[in-house]
Amino acid sequence: MAASAEAPSADPPQSGDAGEDSEPVVTPWTVSGDVDYNKLVDKFGCSLIPPEMVERIERLTGMPVHPFLRRGIIFAHRELNIILDCYEKGLPFYLYTGRGPSSEALHLGHLVPFMFTKYLQDAFKAPLVIQLTDDEKSLWKNLDVDEARRLARENAKDIIACGFDIARTFIFSDYDYVGGAFYRNASRIQRCVTLNQVKGIFGFTGEDNIGKISFPAIQAAPSFPDSFPHMFGTRKDIRCLIPCAIDQDPYFRMTRDVAPRIGHHKPALIESRFFPALQGISGKMSASDTTTAIYTGDSPKEIKSKISKYAYSGGRATVEEHRLKGADLDVDIPFKYLSFFLDDDEKLETIRQEYGSGRMLSGEVKAELIQLLQDLVARHQAARSKVTEDVVDMFMAVRPMPGLFR
Amino acid sequence: MAASAEAPSADPPQSGDAGEDSEPVVTPWTVSGDVDYNKLVDKFGCSLIPPEMVERIERLTGMPVHPFLRRGIIFAHRELNIILDCYEKGLPFYLYTGRGPSSEALHLGHLVPFMFTKYLQDAFKAPLVIQLTDDEKSLWKNLDVDEARRLARENAKDIIACGFDIARTFIFSDYDYVGGAFYRNASRIQRCVTLNQVKGIFGFTGEDNIGKISFPAIQAAPSFPDSFPHMFGTRKDIRCLIPCAIDQDPYFRMTRDVAPRIGHHKPALIESRFFPALQGISGKMSASDTTTAIYTGDSPKEIKSKISKYAYSGGRATVEEHRLKGADLDVDIPFKYLSFFLDDDEKLETIRQEYGSGRMLSGEVKAELIQLLQDLVARHQAARSKVTEDVVDMFMAVRPMPGLFR
């Protein structure tokens, strides 16, 4: 899985980077340009999440929905209604998400899908599988196999720090777990997908290595419960819900096409917008340029400095102009970040009005964000420091997992 | 692995069947036309086995070489000399062969590489891995995954009946064994091979499924010892020798290209000619037409009837003409079969002279062959009947295997 909810990844495999003026590009490896999410939903063929669906989730789970859902950050879906029907009838389902471990340091964009998945697990008491695609990163980034495995374990620590329930969560690295029932499902999927199809979906060319060509089946296989016999035995009736950023949609469109042909339910999807780079909504968060993002390992000082210096502001050129016109909230990165991470709806609304009308200045909004992220990152670091190697081993153990369902 | 040493397989993936008049075609899935083995060796870039090398094997192992080697049925190699150098110095090597389990019934052609491998194991006291590519057969023949696994187990019984040493032999099905260290090696190989390369080597097209595209890495992975940690730990110094029919050469040319790039020795090869169909050296042994081959399950009556009726004869149209010209041994199938399976060199030479000069008649040669094959098949059936499910489990168990080397 490419870095979900991360705006853009560092190296698209084939397609050139689109400049800011070009058509936006959204693939599992590249997100660039100004993304029109309504158009994307039309193009991909998924659906917007309507307000009634958000209300239904709140009603069914008996707890407030996550701010990401209230605020349209999680905004699109495929057959989420079927998952909610299941839940209502007391039928089991499980969650599947993942990460491609291409670097040691995770940034805030990487955390978004995991924060949301943690909420889903808590709200629905659902089992969860988390795939670390160390094989993908080795195939795409020419990363040494053992280095990719090491990064997978390091990333697992950050993921575990998000607070997942160890009794219901299985984290696995492809290089360690692929085999047996999982490999058989991957092979069943591969048999149903032609080279022409993956060329059409992913843009592969003759210069791509053959591991890339067949990799989509490895990312598809966790969508089927019998890929995890230690969790679900040979059951095929347990449906899968995949929280991910919308750039991963092509993988799961393919998976959904194949599913009925191999006797499985189609996985459902719940999809997020992209998390923007500090430099602006069309900018790129880059692993090689650490000024483009806030990392989970950043110190309070680094956070303050990066936001002060680099966060693209929608404030106006002069205080006078700002007081007159108000900030341009559509492009203001500190406000975008607050709308991701400030849980307090009222406070966020106050900032929207005050800043948008020009009464609040850019520096004041940045100060709010700095405080918020310093706290959030400090909490994350404290949680991560408790994740020992033993804890990682426990989450990643192929173990009997009784009582997975209510 | 496609059916090694089997003349031609039933369904080539893309390339059309060449008729008898067309250029011969030799790929891992198709062998047709009159094969010129010298040309093939030139084209593939392997080497003929010179008489000195056969003598060296005899000297090193202190036992007579297998008739297949003496008679040029095993005729080509790649770097066999390096394996012999190792053996001479007391350095370890292991053997790797395989079979694609596409049908329940094996015919005599299928047994050829296993009979020869059994000799190699005995002569060199070498460990052996046997790959059953149930995944390949599922991907190519649209065979159900579980049916392919069942066929793999059934085929394992015929293979075990050839007499392998359980203390030195690991038999595995890809659907059960691929994973972990094996999967990591397959991925390392995949990273080094482009789509264009496999199109060039194997003739894949856009209509082929993506499992086929990446499969060559699955057949390549057993060439590296650390794909079998339970046998060889993490050792990379143990060289691999692959006995196979020459149609498998393209797989291992690819493997040999990749090997040094991932820090491994190139596997060595020892290659056989094809075993012809009853209908003639350009004919096809077909799974759907059981009259084209002698199967390990055939009764004495079936063997007699098939050879009498279908075995293409090099005898002449009339007895008078036959006495005058002698048999055409180049096309005579009974004589070809005798040269595979009649161990007695003197007797074979007598038949060559008597039959070739016309003193012996086609019916007499067929009678010799019928007796020989009835005995051979009866011995095989007796051995196979002793291969219980427990014995299969033992050969296929991922188990510590101490004392693999002299």
Side-chain angles (χ1 to χ4, degrees):
Chain A
M1 203 170 272
S4 309
E6 172 181 17
S9 78
D11 45 359
Q14 303 302 333
S15 53
D17 290 18
E20 291 194 24
D21 297 332
S22 324
E23 273 285 285
V25 172
V26 178
T27 76
W29 305 281
T30 315
V31 180
S32 65
D34 247 332
V35 178
D36 179 328
Y37 287 101
N38 288 328
K39 275 195 191 160
L40 204 56
V41 162
D42 273 356
K43 187 181 155 201
F44 282 180
C46 47
S47 309
L48 292 171
I49 297 176
E52 314 82 75
M53 198 174 243
V54 177
E55 284 159 25
R56 189 180 176 204
I57 294 171
E58 198 147 88
R59 203 167 59 242
L60 286 175
T61 60
M63 62 187 273
V65 296
H66 194 282
F68 293 166
L69 252 178
R70 282 204 304 272
R71 296 176 189 164
I73 288 166
I74 302 291
F75 77 111
H77 79 104
R78 288 177 187 267
E79 293 192 334
L80 178 57
N81 48 314
I82 293 185
I83 296 292
L84 298 179
D85 293 347
C86 278
Y87 185 76
E88 196 159 29
K89 289 179 199 150
L91 298 174
F93 74 94
Y94 73 102
L95 299 163
Y96 155 39
T97 192
R99 157 156 180 80
S102 55
S103 67
E104 197 151 335
L106 269 65
H107 55 59
L108 294 182
H110 294 136
L111 289 188
V112 165
F114 292 108
M115 289 171 157
F116 184 65
T117 302
K118 147 85 175 147
Y119 150 77
L120 288 175
Q121 181 177 59
D122 289 349
F124 290 99
K125 302 277 177 282
L128 164 65
V129 298
I130 299 177
Q131 180 181 43
L132 303 174
T133 56
D134 43 8
D135 50 354
E136 178 201 13
K137 290 306 166 189
S138 178
L139 290 166
W140 259 266
K141 306 201 170 219
N142 218 16
L143 210 59
D144 174 73
V145 166
D146 290 321
E147 174 62 6
R149 292 169 77 197
R150 190 186 69 78
L151 292 176
R153 259 189 95 87
E154 286 307 305
N155 286 186
K157 292 174 190 167
D158 274 300
I159 292 166
I160 291 167
C162 292
F164 294 105
D165 175 1
I166 195 165
R168 288 198 171 87
T169 305
F170 173 53
I171 303 178
F172 64 101
S173 125
D174 286 341
Y175 276 142
D176 290 315
Y177 183 69
V178 170
F182 189 105
Y183 178 65
R184 293 194 287 273
N185 268 345
S187 180
R188 287 184 179 103
I189 297 160
Q190 288 172 352
R191 201 173 62 188
C192 294
V193 180
T194 67
L195 175 56
N196 281 340
Q197 286 173 306
V198 294
K199 280 180 164 180
I201 301 170
F202 302 105
F204 294 134
T205 75
E207 297 305 311
D208 280 308
N209 71 53
I210 58 174
K212 292 184 184 180
I213 308 291
S214 60
F215 174 77
I218 301 289
Q219 182 156 330
S223 310
F224 305 127
D226 56 354
S227 295
F228 304 98
H230 62 291
M231 299 177 77
F232 308 124
T234 56
R235 288 181 71 170
K236 293 181 130 193
D237 62 313
I238 305 171
R239 286 182 185 266
C240 176
L241 172 62
I242 305 172
C244 63
I246 194 164
D247 62 330
Q248 299 296 305
D249 192 82
Y251 276 116
F252 300 116
R253 249 179 294 157
M254 186 202 85
T255 310
R256 287 169 52 86
D257 282 347
V258 169
R261 297 171 58 195
I262 62 172
H264 274 289
H265 290 304
K266 295 180 177 191
L269 295 172
I270 182 163
E271 299 177 316
S272 76
R273 292 168 188 255
F274 306 116
F275 187 77
L278 279 172
Q279 281 72 6
I281 50 172
S282 316
K284 277 177 170 291
M285 287 193 284
S286 159
S288 55
D289 180 358
T290 57
T291 67
T292 57
I294 306 293
Y295 288 84
T296 57
D298 283 352
S299 69
K301 206 175 141 193
E302 284 169 319
I303 293 171
K304 184 176 178 186
S305 155
K306 284 187 190 179
I307 291 172
S308 305
K309 276 195 212 164
Y310 304 114
Y312 186 87
S313 175
R316 305 298 170 173
T318 64
V319 174
E320 290 69 33
E321 191 191 346
H322 187 78
R323 297 285 187 210
L324 194 69
K325 295 185 178 168
D328 182 352
L329 298 184
D330 286 343
V331 300
D332 189 89
I333 289 297
F335 184 73
K336 294 266 175 210
Y337 276 31
L338 284 171
S339 61
F340 270 83
F341 296 119
L342 178 59
D343 283 355
D344 184 333
D345 287 347
E346 271 181 44
K347 191 165 178 187
L348 185 69
E349 185 52 32
T350 305
I351 294 172
R352 178 199 306 279
Q353 290 184 9
E354 295 295 299
Y355 189 38
S357 65
R359 284 191 294 276
M360 204 168 172
L361 294 178
S362 177
E364 297 170 273
V365 174
K366 285 191 173 182
E368 282 284 351
L369 180 65
I370 288 166
Q371 186 61 54
L372 181 79
L373 293 189
Q374 284 175 338
D375 291 351
L376 186 152
V377 167
R379 278 199 310 276
H380 183 85
Q381 289 173 357
R384 192 186 194 282
S385 72
K386 289 183 192 136
V387 182
T388 60
E389 297 296 332
D390 282 352
V391 171
V392 177
D393 285 343
M394 285 193 283
F395 271 96
M396 296 185 80
V398 178
R399 60 205 191 267
M401 296 176 74
L404 279 179
F405 300 108
R406 294 169 299 165
Chain B
M1 205 170 270
S4 310
E6 173 181 16
S9 78
D11 45 0
Q14 302 301 334
S15 52
D17 290 19
E20 291 193 25
D21 298 331
S22 324
E23 272 286 285
V25 172
V26 178
T27 76
W29 305 280
T30 314
V31 179
S32 64
D34 247 331
V35 178
D36 179 329
Y37 286 101
N38 288 327
K39 273 195 193 160
L40 205 56
V41 163
D42 273 356
K43 186 180 155 201
F44 283 180
C46 46
S47 310
L48 292 172
I49 297 177
E52 313 83 75
M53 197 174 244
V54 176
E55 284 159 27
R56 187 179 177 205
I57 294 171
E58 200 148 88
R59 204 168 56 242
L60 285 175
T61 60
M63 63 187 275
V65 297
H66 194 281
F68 292 167
L69 254 177
R70 282 204 303 273
R71 294 176 190 166
I73 289 167
I74 303 291
F75 76 111
H77 79 102
R78 289 177 186 267
E79 292 191 335
L80 179 57
N81 48 313
I82 293 185
I83 296 292
L84 298 179
D85 292 347
C86 278
Y87 185 76
E88 198 160 27
K89 291 181 200 148
L91 298 173
F93 75 92
Y94 71 103
L95 299 163
Y96 155 39
T97 192
R99 159 157 177 80
S102 55
S103 67
E104 197 151 337
L106 268 65
H107 55 59
L108 294 183
H110 294 136
L111 289 189
V112 166
F114 292 108
M115 289 171 157
F116 184 64
T117 303
K118 146 85 175 148
Y119 150 76
L120 288 175
Q121 181 175 62
D122 289 349
F124 291 98
K125 301 280 177 281
L128 164 64
V129 298
I130 300 177
Q131 180 181 43
L132 303 172
T133 55
D134 43 8
D135 50 352
E136 178 201 14
K137 290 306 166 188
S138 178
L139 291 166
W140 259 265
K141 305 201 169 219
N142 217 16
L143 210 59
D144 174 73
V145 166
D146 290 321
E147 175 62 5
R149 292 170 76 197
R150 189 186 70 77
L151 292 176
R153 258 189 96 86
E154 286 307 305
N155 286 187
K157 292 175 189 167
D158 274 300
I159 292 167
I160 292 167
C162 292
F164 294 105
D165 175 0
I166 195 165
R168 287 197 172 87
T169 305
F170 174 54
I171 303 178
F172 64 100
S173 125
D174 286 342
Y175 276 142
D176 289 315
Y177 183 70
V178 170
F182 189 104
Y183 178 66
R184 294 194 286 274
N185 268 346
S187 180
R188 286 183 180 103
I189 298 160
Q190 287 171 353
R191 201 173 61 187
C192 295
V193 180
T194 67
L195 175 56
N196 280 341
Q197 286 173 305
V198 294
K199 280 181 164 181
I201 301 170
F202 302 105
F204 295 134
T205 76
E207 296 305 311
D208 279 309
N209 70 54
I210 58 174
K212 291 184 185 182
I213 308 291
S214 60
F215 174 76
I218 301 289
Q219 182 155 331
S223 310
F224 305 127
D226 57 354
S227 295
F228 305 97
H230 62 292
M231 299 177 76
F232 309 123
T234 55
R235 287 182 71 169
K236 292 180 130 194
D237 63 312
I238 305 171
R239 287 183 184 263
C240 177
L241 172 63
I242 305 173
C244 63
I246 194 164
D247 62 328
Q248 300 296 304
D249 192 82
Y251 275 116
F252 300 116
R253 249 180 294 157
M254 186 201 85
T255 309
R256 286 169 51 87
D257 282 347
V258 169
R261 297 171 57 194
I262 61 173
H264 274 289
H265 290 304
K266 295 180 178 193
L269 296 172
I270 182 164
E271 301 177 315
S272 75
R273 292 168 188 255
F274 306 116
F275 187 77
L278 279 173
Q279 280 72 6
I281 50 171
S282 314
K284 275 177 172 291
M285 286 193 283
S286 160
S288 54
D289 181 358
T290 56
T291 67
T292 57
I294 305 294
Y295 288 84
T296 58
D298 283 352
S299 68
K301 206 175 139 193
E302 284 168 318
I303 294 170
K304 183 177 180 186
S305 154
K306 282 186 190 180
I307 292 172
S308 305
K309 277 196 214 164
Y310 304 113
Y312 187 86
S313 177
R316 305 297 170 174
T318 63
V319 173
E320 290 69 33
E321 191 191 346
H322 186 78
R323 297 286 187 209
L324 195 69
K325 297 184 178 169
D328 182 351
L329 297 183
D330 287 344
V331 302
D332 189 89
I333 289 298
F335 184 73
K336 294 263 175 214
Y337 277 30
L338 285 171
S339 60
F340 272 82
F341 297 118
L342 178 60
D343 284 354
D344 185 333
D345 287 347
E346 271 181 45
K347 190 165 178 187
L348 186 68
E349 186 51 32
T350 305
I351 294 173
R352 178 199 306 278
Q353 292 184 7
E354 295 295 300
Y355 189 38
S357 64
R359 285 191 294 276
M360 203 170 172
L361 294 178
S362 176
E364 296 169 273
V365 175
K366 284 190 172 181
E368 283 285 351
L369 180 65
I370 289 165
Q371 186 61 53
L372 181 80
L373 293 189
Q374 283 173 339
D375 291 350
L376 186 152
V377 167
R379 279 198 310 275
H380 183 85
Q381 288 173 357
R384 193 188 193 280
S385 72
K386 288 182 191 137
V387 181
T388 61
E389 296 296 333
D390 282 351
V391 171
V392 177
D393 286 343
M394 284 192 284
F395 271 96
M396 298 185 78
V398 178
R399 60 204 191 270
M401 295 175 76
L404 279 178
F405 299 107
R406 295 169 299 165

